Amino acid sequence: YIAFHKLRFGQRIEIEGIGFTPLKGNHTGNMQEYSAMFLIELPDGRKMFYGLDTGTYFPETLTALQQHHIDIYISENTGGSCPSFNHPVHMCLDDVKKLAEELMAQGTLDQRSVLYLTHISHRSTHAQNEEAVKTMLFPVQTVVTYDGMKIL
């Protein structure tokens, strides 16, 4: 049996010792509801943020994240390393870097945090994304993910 439970943005739930708090993403689906990103509290005390399918973060999402230190940050990179990418509900490397700098400035990220880039389009290759990350000087360690990669 499968039981579905509607989650509410900002309301933390716990499932088998792991905390989940859905936060609003800037992307609507076919039912005109906003996407959910997840703050995940792992049993070992680390916090992970899963932030895909979003464009610029809403102020309420940034405020909610300000209360937490993120150890593992998984971000979308739909636009890849393309400088001409301009999309209202997805991000490219430039957007992710600016967001990482903002999260660093508010104390959500620090030098211990690791940023993993995923949800990558075919606009640029894995090698192009890795090279761009090296030259852009992200404020935290940044890894371009690949199929089959394990981080936990």
Side-chain angles (χ1 to χ4, degrees):
Y1 296 97
I2 298 174
F4 291 94
H5 301 276
K6 183 167 178 128
L7 303 179
R8 304 215 184 284
F9 294 125
Q11 282 189 339
R12 183 185 183 279
I13 63 163
E14 191 166 311
I15 302 170
E16 297 193 19
I18 300 174
F20 294 89
T21 305
L23 299 175
K24 189 190 290 187
N26 191 1
H27 189 307
T28 56
N30 61 347
M31 296 178 70
Q32 298 307 307
E33 290 190 2
Y34 287 101
S35 62
M37 302 184 291
F38 292 92
L39 175 64
I40 303 166
E41 298 167 68
L42 302 170
D44 64 7
R46 291 181 298 164
K47 291 185 182 175
M48 177 168 67
F49 186 65
Y50 186 78
L52 304 187
D53 276 338
T54 188
T56 304
Y57 281 26
F58 289 118
E60 66 203 69
T61 301
L62 289 170
T63 299
L65 288 173
Q66 192 170 18
Q67 303 168 38
H68 301 277
H69 169 265
I70 303 301
D71 300 288
I72 301 166
Y73 178 26
I74 301 170
S75 176
E76 78 149 64
N77 181 30
T78 307
S81 61
C82 298
S84 61
F85 183 80
N86 185 11
H87 201 284
V89 296
H90 288 291
M91 295 189 286
C92 68
L93 280 177
D94 287 337
D95 301 323
V96 176
K97 181 181 180 219
K98 287 175 192 165
L99 178 59
E101 290 167 346
E102 187 171 357
L103 293 171
M104 187 90 156
Q106 74 176 28
T108 301
L109 299 177
D110 66 19
Q111 293 302 312
R112 298 170 293 159
S113 305
V114 181
L115 169 59
Y116 294 91
L117 299 171
T118 189
H119 196 53
I120 301 170
S121 76
H122 300 286
R123 293 174 173 265
S124 51
T125 66
H126 188 268
Q128 288 170 323
N129 282 303
E130 282 188 325
E131 187 58 35
V133 165
K134 285 180 196 170
T135 60
M136 292 176 72
L137 302 173
F138 273 71
V140 296
Q141 179 185 349
T142 303
V143 178
V144 180
T145 62
Y146 52 86
D147 290 345
M149 181 178 192
K150 295 180 183 181
I151 61 171
L152 291 176

PDB file of all heavy atoms in Angstrom, residues 71-103:
ATOM      1  N   ASP A  71      25.418  21.399   5.019  1.00  0.00           N
ATOM      2  CA  ASP A  71      26.655  20.659   4.775  1.00  0.00           C
ATOM      3  C   ASP A  71      26.740  20.179   3.330  1.00  0.00           C
ATOM      4  O   ASP A  71      27.787  20.275   2.696  1.00  0.00           O
ATOM      5  CB  ASP A  71      26.734  19.437   5.709  1.00  0.00           C
ATOM      6  CG  ASP A  71      26.706  19.846   7.163  1.00  0.00           C
ATOM      7  OD1 ASP A  71      27.714  20.396   7.629  1.00  0.00           O
ATOM      8  OD2 ASP A  71      25.661  19.645   7.827  1.00  0.00           O
ATOM      9  N   ILE A  72      25.628  19.668   2.827  1.00  0.00           N
ATOM     10  CA  ILE A  72      25.555  19.118   1.478  1.00  0.00           C
ATOM     11  C   ILE A  72      24.458  19.873   0.734  1.00  0.00           C
ATOM     12  O   ILE A  72      23.298  19.851   1.133  1.00  0.00           O
ATOM     13  CB  ILE A  72      25.219  17.607   1.517  1.00  0.00           C
ATOM     14  CG1 ILE A  72      26.284  16.854   2.303  1.00  0.00           C
ATOM     15  CG2 ILE A  72      25.061  17.050   0.111  1.00  0.00           C
ATOM     16  CD1 ILE A  72      25.869  15.434   2.685  1.00  0.00           C
ATOM     17  N   TYR A  73      24.838  20.537  -0.343  1.00  0.00           N
ATOM     18  CA  TYR A  73      23.885  21.336  -1.102  1.00  0.00           C
ATOM     19  C   TYR A  73      23.821  20.784  -2.516  1.00  0.00           C
ATOM     20  O   TYR A  73      24.802  20.816  -3.250  1.00  0.00           O
ATOM     21  CB  TYR A  73      24.341  22.797  -1.090  1.00  0.00           C
ATOM     22  CG  TYR A  73      23.488  23.766  -1.876  1.00  0.00           C
ATOM     23  CD1 TYR A  73      22.146  23.539  -2.121  1.00  0.00           C
ATOM     24  CD2 TYR A  73      24.032  24.937  -2.366  1.00  0.00           C
ATOM     25  CE1 TYR A  73      21.371  24.437  -2.830  1.00  0.00           C
ATOM     26  CE2 TYR A  73      23.273  25.860  -3.066  1.00  0.00           C
ATOM     27  CZ  TYR A  73      21.948  25.596  -3.302  1.00  0.00           C
ATOM     28  OH  TYR A  73      21.194  26.493  -4.003  1.00  0.00           O
ATOM     29  N   ILE A  74      22.667  20.252  -2.892  1.00  0.00           N
ATOM     30  CA  ILE A  74      22.460  19.717  -4.235  1.00  0.00           C
ATOM     31  C   ILE A  74      21.631  20.739  -4.991  1.00  0.00           C
ATOM     32  O   ILE A  74      20.497  21.037  -4.614  1.00  0.00           O
ATOM     33  CB  ILE A  74      21.748  18.349  -4.187  1.00  0.00           C
ATOM     34  CG1 ILE A  74      22.583  17.359  -3.364  1.00  0.00           C
ATOM     35  CG2 ILE A  74      21.506  17.827  -5.608  1.00  0.00           C
ATOM     36  CD1 ILE A  74      21.878  16.059  -3.041  1.00  0.00           C
ATOM     37  N   SER A  75      22.220  21.301  -6.036  1.00  0.00           N
ATOM     38  CA  SER A  75      21.554  22.361  -6.794  1.00  0.00           C
ATOM     39  C   SER A  75      21.395  21.965  -8.242  1.00  0.00           C
ATOM     40  O   SER A  75      22.211  21.237  -8.802  1.00  0.00           O
ATOM     41  CB  SER A  75      22.374  23.648  -6.732  1.00  0.00           C
ATOM     42  OG  SER A  75      21.775  24.661  -7.536  1.00  0.00           O
ATOM     43  N   GLU A  76      20.373  22.499  -8.846  1.00  0.00           N
ATOM     44  CA  GLU A  76      20.194  22.306 -10.272  1.00  0.00           C
ATOM     45  C   GLU A  76      21.187  23.157 -11.048  1.00  0.00           C
ATOM     46  O   GLU A  76      21.712  24.150 -10.537  1.00  0.00           O
ATOM     47  CB  GLU A  76      18.775  22.652 -10.667  1.00  0.00           C
ATOM     48  CG  GLU A  76      18.502  24.119 -10.770  1.00  0.00           C
ATOM     49  CD  GLU A  76      17.449  24.360 -11.826  1.00  0.00           C
ATOM     50  OE1 GLU A  76      16.320  23.901 -11.646  1.00  0.00           O
ATOM     51  OE2 GLU A  76      17.784  24.991 -12.832  1.00  0.00           O
ATOM     52  N   ASN A  77      21.458  22.724 -12.272  1.00  0.00           N
ATOM     53  CA  ASN A  77      22.306  23.467 -13.192  1.00  0.00           C
ATOM     54  C   ASN A  77      21.763  23.233 -14.599  1.00  0.00           C
ATOM     55  O   ASN A  77      22.481  22.830 -15.495  1.00  0.00           O
ATOM     56  CB  ASN A  77      23.761  23.000 -13.069  1.00  0.00           C
ATOM     57  CG  ASN A  77      24.688  23.760 -13.976  1.00  0.00           C
ATOM     58  OD1 ASN A  77      24.452  24.925 -14.271  1.00  0.00           O
ATOM     59  ND2 ASN A  77      25.719  23.113 -14.449  1.00  0.00           N
ATOM     60  N   THR A  78      20.467  23.471 -14.756  1.00  0.00           N
ATOM     61  CA  THR A  78      19.791  23.171 -16.014  1.00  0.00           C
ATOM     62  C   THR A  78      20.417  23.894 -17.194  1.00  0.00           C
ATOM     63  O   THR A  78      20.491  23.355 -18.285  1.00  0.00           O
ATOM     64  CB  THR A  78      18.287  23.525 -15.910  1.00  0.00           C
ATOM     65  OG1 THR A  78      17.759  22.874 -14.765  1.00  0.00           O
ATOM     66  CG2 THR A  78      17.526  23.089 -17.137  1.00  0.00           C
ATOM     67  N   GLY A  79      20.872  25.097 -16.973  1.00  0.00           N
ATOM     68  CA  GLY A  79      21.443  25.876 -18.066  1.00  0.00           C
ATOM     69  C   GLY A  79      22.886  25.562 -18.376  1.00  0.00           C
ATOM     70  O   GLY A  79      23.437  26.087 -19.343  1.00  0.00           O
ATOM     71  N   GLY A  80      23.506  24.711 -17.558  1.00  0.00           N
ATOM     72  CA  GLY A  80      24.904  24.363 -17.791  1.00  0.00           C
ATOM     73  C   GLY A  80      25.806  25.578 -17.699  1.00  0.00           C
ATOM     74  O   GLY A  80      25.546  26.516 -16.947  1.00  0.00           O
ATOM     75  N   SER A  81      26.857  25.571 -18.496  1.00  0.00           N
ATOM     76  CA  SER A  81      27.839  26.656 -18.443  1.00  0.00           C
ATOM     77  C   SER A  81      27.564  27.740 -19.477  1.00  0.00           C
ATOM     78  O   SER A  81      28.403  28.596 -19.706  1.00  0.00           O
ATOM     79  CB  SER A  81      29.249  26.085 -18.651  1.00  0.00           C
ATOM     80  OG  SER A  81      29.350  25.451 -19.919  1.00  0.00           O
ATOM     81  N   CYS A  82      26.393  27.699 -20.085  1.00  0.00           N
ATOM     82  CA  CYS A  82      26.061  28.660 -21.141  1.00  0.00           C
ATOM     83  C   CYS A  82      25.767  30.039 -20.579  1.00  0.00           C
ATOM     84  O   CYS A  82      24.818  30.217 -19.811  1.00  0.00           O
ATOM     85  CB  CYS A  82      24.861  28.167 -21.933  1.00  0.00           C
ATOM     86  SG  CYS A  82      25.161  26.601 -22.756  1.00  0.00           S
ATOM     87  N   PRO A  83      26.543  31.040 -20.961  1.00  0.00           N
ATOM     88  CA  PRO A  83      26.309  32.390 -20.442  1.00  0.00           C
ATOM     89  C   PRO A  83      25.034  33.028 -20.981  1.00  0.00           C
ATOM     90  O   PRO A  83      24.501  33.951 -20.385  1.00  0.00           O
ATOM     91  CB  PRO A  83      27.541  33.170 -20.897  1.00  0.00           C
ATOM     92  CG  PRO A  83      28.090  32.401 -22.041  1.00  0.00           C
ATOM     93  CD  PRO A  83      27.699  30.964 -21.839  1.00  0.00           C
ATOM     94  N   SER A  84      24.511  32.533 -22.105  1.00  0.00           N
ATOM     95  CA  SER A  84      23.319  33.149 -22.688  1.00  0.00           C
ATOM     96  C   SER A  84      22.024  32.546 -22.154  1.00  0.00           C
ATOM     97  O   SER A  84      20.949  32.934 -22.572  1.00  0.00           O
ATOM     98  CB  SER A  84      23.351  32.995 -24.215  1.00  0.00           C
ATOM     99  OG  SER A  84      23.348  31.614 -24.555  1.00  0.00           O
ATOM    100  N   PHE A  85      22.121  31.610 -21.220  1.00  0.00           N
ATOM    101  CA  PHE A  85      20.929  30.961 -20.666  1.00  0.00           C
ATOM    102  C   PHE A  85      20.176  31.955 -19.796  1.00  0.00           C
ATOM    103  O   PHE A  85      20.709  32.534 -18.877  1.00  0.00           O
ATOM    104  CB  PHE A  85      21.346  29.751 -19.832  1.00  0.00           C
ATOM    105  CG  PHE A  85      20.193  28.962 -19.276  1.00  0.00           C
ATOM    106  CD1 PHE A  85      19.518  28.053 -20.069  1.00  0.00           C
ATOM    107  CD2 PHE A  85      19.804  29.111 -17.956  1.00  0.00           C
ATOM    108  CE1 PHE A  85      18.466  27.307 -19.560  1.00  0.00           C
ATOM    109  CE2 PHE A  85      18.750  28.369 -17.436  1.00  0.00           C
ATOM    110  CZ  PHE A  85      18.083  27.468 -18.241  1.00  0.00           C
ATOM    111  N   ASN A  86      18.913  32.175 -20.105  1.00  0.00           N
ATOM    112  CA  ASN A  86      18.079  33.077 -19.316  1.00  0.00           C
ATOM    113  C   ASN A  86      16.716  32.416 -19.210  1.00  0.00           C
ATOM    114  O   ASN A  86      15.951  32.430 -20.167  1.00  0.00           O
ATOM    115  CB  ASN A  86      17.991  34.453 -19.980  1.00  0.00           C
ATOM    116  CG  ASN A  86      17.241  35.440 -19.112  1.00  0.00           C
ATOM    117  OD1 ASN A  86      16.968  35.175 -17.939  1.00  0.00           O
ATOM    118  ND2 ASN A  86      16.895  36.569 -19.677  1.00  0.00           N
ATOM    119  N   HIS A  87      16.441  31.831 -18.064  1.00  0.00           N
ATOM    120  CA  HIS A  87      15.216  31.056 -17.906  1.00  0.00           C
ATOM    121  C   HIS A  87      14.580  31.413 -16.567  1.00  0.00           C
ATOM    122  O   HIS A  87      15.268  31.486 -15.558  1.00  0.00           O
ATOM    123  CB  HIS A  87      15.564  29.565 -17.958  1.00  0.00           C
ATOM    124  CG  HIS A  87      14.414  28.695 -18.296  1.00  0.00           C
ATOM    125  ND1 HIS A  87      13.419  28.389 -17.401  1.00  0.00           N
ATOM    126  CD2 HIS A  87      14.099  28.055 -19.445  1.00  0.00           C
ATOM    127  CE1 HIS A  87      12.544  27.587 -17.978  1.00  0.00           C
ATOM    128  NE2 HIS A  87      12.928  27.367 -19.216  1.00  0.00           N
ATOM    129  N   PRO A  88      13.279  31.641 -16.529  1.00  0.00           N
ATOM    130  CA  PRO A  88      12.650  32.083 -15.274  1.00  0.00           C
ATOM    131  C   PRO A  88      12.559  31.014 -14.188  1.00  0.00           C
ATOM    132  O   PRO A  88      12.454  31.349 -13.016  1.00  0.00           O
ATOM    133  CB  PRO A  88      11.255  32.524 -15.720  1.00  0.00           C
ATOM    134  CG  PRO A  88      10.990  31.752 -16.970  1.00  0.00           C
ATOM    135  CD  PRO A  88      12.327  31.589 -17.642  1.00  0.00           C
ATOM    136  N   VAL A  89      12.597  29.723 -14.543  1.00  0.00           N
ATOM    137  CA  VAL A  89      12.387  28.685 -13.530  1.00  0.00           C
ATOM    138  C   VAL A  89      13.534  27.669 -13.450  1.00  0.00           C
ATOM    139  O   VAL A  89      13.372  26.605 -12.863  1.00  0.00           O
ATOM    140  CB  VAL A  89      11.029  27.959 -13.733  1.00  0.00           C
ATOM    141  CG1 VAL A  89       9.884  28.931 -13.544  1.00  0.00           C
ATOM    142  CG2 VAL A  89      10.957  27.272 -15.085  1.00  0.00           C
ATOM    143  N   HIS A  90      14.669  28.004 -14.028  1.00  0.00           N
ATOM    144  CA  HIS A  90      15.854  27.144 -13.939  1.00  0.00           C
ATOM    145  C   HIS A  90      17.083  28.031 -13.845  1.00  0.00           C
ATOM    146  O   HIS A  90      17.025  29.222 -14.103  1.00  0.00           O
ATOM    147  CB  HIS A  90      15.961  26.213 -15.145  1.00  0.00           C
ATOM    148  CG  HIS A  90      14.939  25.123 -15.140  1.00  0.00           C
ATOM    149  ND1 HIS A  90      14.959  24.101 -14.227  1.00  0.00           N
ATOM    150  CD2 HIS A  90      13.867  24.907 -15.938  1.00  0.00           C
ATOM    151  CE1 HIS A  90      13.941  23.288 -14.459  1.00  0.00           C
ATOM    152  NE2 HIS A  90      13.246  23.763 -15.484  1.00  0.00           N
ATOM    153  N   MET A  91      18.217  27.420 -13.485  1.00  0.00           N
ATOM    154  CA  MET A  91      19.446  28.190 -13.310  1.00  0.00           C
ATOM    155  C   MET A  91      20.586  27.617 -14.149  1.00  0.00           C
ATOM    156  O   MET A  91      20.588  26.441 -14.498  1.00  0.00           O
ATOM    157  CB  MET A  91      19.860  28.186 -11.836  1.00  0.00           C
ATOM    158  CG  MET A  91      18.876  28.902 -10.930  1.00  0.00           C
ATOM    159  SD  MET A  91      19.481  29.113  -9.237  1.00  0.00           S
ATOM    160  CE  MET A  91      19.329  27.448  -8.605  1.00  0.00           C
ATOM    161  N   CYS A  92      21.552  28.479 -14.434  1.00  0.00           N
ATOM    162  CA  CYS A  92      22.805  28.082 -15.064  1.00  0.00           C
ATOM    163  C   CYS A  92      23.920  28.321 -14.042  1.00  0.00           C
ATOM    164  O   CYS A  92      23.657  28.743 -12.913  1.00  0.00           O
ATOM    165  CB  CYS A  92      23.042  28.878 -16.338  1.00  0.00           C
ATOM    166  SG  CYS A  92      23.359  30.634 -16.060  1.00  0.00           S
ATOM    167  N   LEU A  93      25.154  28.049 -14.422  1.00  0.00           N
ATOM    168  CA  LEU A  93      26.265  28.196 -13.476  1.00  0.00           C
ATOM    169  C   LEU A  93      26.374  29.595 -12.882  1.00  0.00           C
ATOM    170  O   LEU A  93      26.636  29.741 -11.692  1.00  0.00           O
ATOM    171  CB  LEU A  93      27.592  27.818 -14.144  1.00  0.00           C
ATOM    172  CG  LEU A  93      27.885  26.333 -14.238  1.00  0.00           C
ATOM    173  CD1 LEU A  93      29.195  26.103 -14.985  1.00  0.00           C
ATOM    174  CD2 LEU A  93      27.937  25.698 -12.870  1.00  0.00           C
ATOM    175  N   ASP A  94      26.173  30.625 -13.699  1.00  0.00           N
ATOM    176  CA  ASP A  94      26.246  31.998 -13.179  1.00  0.00           C
ATOM    177  C   ASP A  94      25.214  32.217 -12.076  1.00  0.00           C
ATOM    178  O   ASP A  94      25.509  32.795 -11.027  1.00  0.00           O
ATOM    179  CB  ASP A  94      26.003  33.028 -14.293  1.00  0.00           C
ATOM    180  CG  ASP A  94      27.169  33.146 -15.254  1.00  0.00           C
ATOM    181  OD1 ASP A  94      28.310  32.799 -14.879  1.00  0.00           O
ATOM    182  OD2 ASP A  94      26.932  33.575 -16.403  1.00  0.00           O
ATOM    183  N   ASP A  95      23.986  31.729 -12.309  1.00  0.00           N
ATOM    184  CA  ASP A  95      22.920  31.880 -11.318  1.00  0.00           C
ATOM    185  C   ASP A  95      23.255  31.119 -10.035  1.00  0.00           C
ATOM    186  O   ASP A  95      23.052  31.628  -8.927  1.00  0.00           O
ATOM    187  CB  ASP A  95      21.592  31.353 -11.868  1.00  0.00           C
ATOM    188  CG  ASP A  95      21.145  32.060 -13.136  1.00  0.00           C
ATOM    189  OD1 ASP A  95      21.353  33.284 -13.245  1.00  0.00           O
ATOM    190  OD2 ASP A  95      20.599  31.376 -14.020  1.00  0.00           O
ATOM    191  N   VAL A  96      23.738  29.885 -10.183  1.00  0.00           N
ATOM    192  CA  VAL A  96      24.053  29.060  -9.015  1.00  0.00           C
ATOM    193  C   VAL A  96      25.191  29.683  -8.214  1.00  0.00           C
ATOM    194  O   VAL A  96      25.150  29.721  -6.986  1.00  0.00           O
ATOM    195  CB  VAL A  96      24.400  27.615  -9.428  1.00  0.00           C
ATOM    196  CG1 VAL A  96      24.829  26.795  -8.221  1.00  0.00           C
ATOM    197  CG2 VAL A  96      23.217  26.951 -10.117  1.00  0.00           C
ATOM    198  N   LYS A  97      26.188  30.231  -8.907  1.00  0.00           N
ATOM    199  CA  LYS A  97      27.308  30.867  -8.205  1.00  0.00           C
ATOM    200  C   LYS A  97      26.818  32.073  -7.398  1.00  0.00           C
ATOM    201  O   LYS A  97      27.181  32.243  -6.227  1.00  0.00           O
ATOM    202  CB  LYS A  97      28.395  31.297  -9.175  1.00  0.00           C
ATOM    203  CG  LYS A  97      29.576  31.930  -8.454  1.00  0.00           C
ATOM    204  CD  LYS A  97      30.654  32.395  -9.393  1.00  0.00           C
ATOM    205  CE  LYS A  97      31.772  33.002  -8.577  1.00  0.00           C
ATOM    206  NZ  LYS A  97      32.343  34.165  -9.198  1.00  0.00           N
ATOM    207  N   LYS A  98      25.984  32.919  -8.003  1.00  0.00           N
ATOM    208  CA  LYS A  98      25.442  34.080  -7.285  1.00  0.00           C
ATOM    209  C   LYS A  98      24.637  33.640  -6.066  1.00  0.00           C
ATOM    210  O   LYS A  98      24.739  34.232  -4.986  1.00  0.00           O
ATOM    211  CB  LYS A  98      24.562  34.924  -8.219  1.00  0.00           C
ATOM    212  CG  LYS A  98      25.343  35.699  -9.246  1.00  0.00           C
ATOM    213  CD  LYS A  98      24.413  36.417 -10.205  1.00  0.00           C
ATOM    214  CE  LYS A  98      25.194  36.932 -11.391  1.00  0.00           C
ATOM    215  NZ  LYS A  98      24.344  37.320 -12.513  1.00  0.00           N
ATOM    216  N   LEU A  99      23.849  32.590  -6.233  1.00  0.00           N
ATOM    217  CA  LEU A  99      23.060  32.067  -5.118  1.00  0.00           C
ATOM    218  C   LEU A  99      23.962  31.511  -4.026  1.00  0.00           C
ATOM    219  O   LEU A  99      23.744  31.775  -2.840  1.00  0.00           O
ATOM    220  CB  LEU A  99      22.095  30.992  -5.610  1.00  0.00           C
ATOM    221  CG  LEU A  99      21.234  30.332  -4.547  1.00  0.00           C
ATOM    222  CD1 LEU A  99      20.372  31.347  -3.800  1.00  0.00           C
ATOM    223  CD2 LEU A  99      20.369  29.257  -5.177  1.00  0.00           C
ATOM    224  N   ALA A 100      24.995  30.770  -4.404  1.00  0.00           N
ATOM    225  CA  ALA A 100      25.939  30.232  -3.414  1.00  0.00           C
ATOM    226  C   ALA A 100      26.620  31.364  -2.646  1.00  0.00           C
ATOM    227  O   ALA A 100      26.814  31.271  -1.432  1.00  0.00           O
ATOM    228  CB  ALA A 100      26.979  29.339  -4.094  1.00  0.00           C
ATOM    229  N   GLU A 101      26.957  32.447  -3.326  1.00  0.00           N
ATOM    230  CA  GLU A 101      27.559  33.601  -2.663  1.00  0.00           C
ATOM    231  C   GLU A 101      26.585  34.231  -1.675  1.00  0.00           C
ATOM    232  O   GLU A 101      26.960  34.622  -0.567  1.00  0.00           O
ATOM    233  CB  GLU A 101      28.023  34.623  -3.700  1.00  0.00           C
ATOM    234  CG  GLU A 101      29.229  34.139  -4.487  1.00  0.00           C
ATOM    235  CD  GLU A 101      29.544  34.973  -5.721  1.00  0.00           C
ATOM    236  OE1 GLU A 101      28.682  35.790  -6.154  1.00  0.00           O
ATOM    237  OE2 GLU A 101      30.649  34.792  -6.281  1.00  0.00           O
ATOM    238  N   GLU A 102      25.311  34.308  -2.062  1.00  0.00           N
ATOM    239  CA  GLU A 102      24.287  34.865  -1.171  1.00  0.00           C
ATOM    240  C   GLU A 102      24.087  33.964   0.053  1.00  0.00           C
ATOM    241  O   GLU A 102      24.000  34.443   1.180  1.00  0.00           O
ATOM    242  CB  GLU A 102      22.970  35.029  -1.929  1.00  0.00           C
ATOM    243  CG  GLU A 102      21.913  35.755  -1.148  1.00  0.00           C
ATOM    244  CD  GLU A 102      20.685  36.095  -1.997  1.00  0.00           C
ATOM    245  OE1 GLU A 102      20.660  35.822  -3.211  1.00  0.00           O
ATOM    246  OE2 GLU A 102      19.734  36.655  -1.418  1.00  0.00           O
ATOM    247  N   LEU A 103      24.044  32.651  -0.173  1.00  0.00           N
ATOM    248  CA  LEU A 103      23.885  31.706   0.938  1.00  0.00           C
ATOM    249  C   LEU A 103      25.109  31.726   1.850  1.00  0.00           C
ATOM    250  O   LEU A 103      24.996  31.570   3.062  1.00  0.00           O
ATOM    251  CB  LEU A 103      23.618  30.297   0.411  1.00  0.00           C
ATOM    252  CG  LEU A 103      22.272  30.099  -0.298  1.00  0.00           C
ATOM    253  CD1 LEU A 103      22.206  28.728  -0.966  1.00  0.00           C
ATOM    254  CD2 LEU A 103      21.108  30.302   0.666  1.00  0.00           C
TER     255      LEU A 103
END
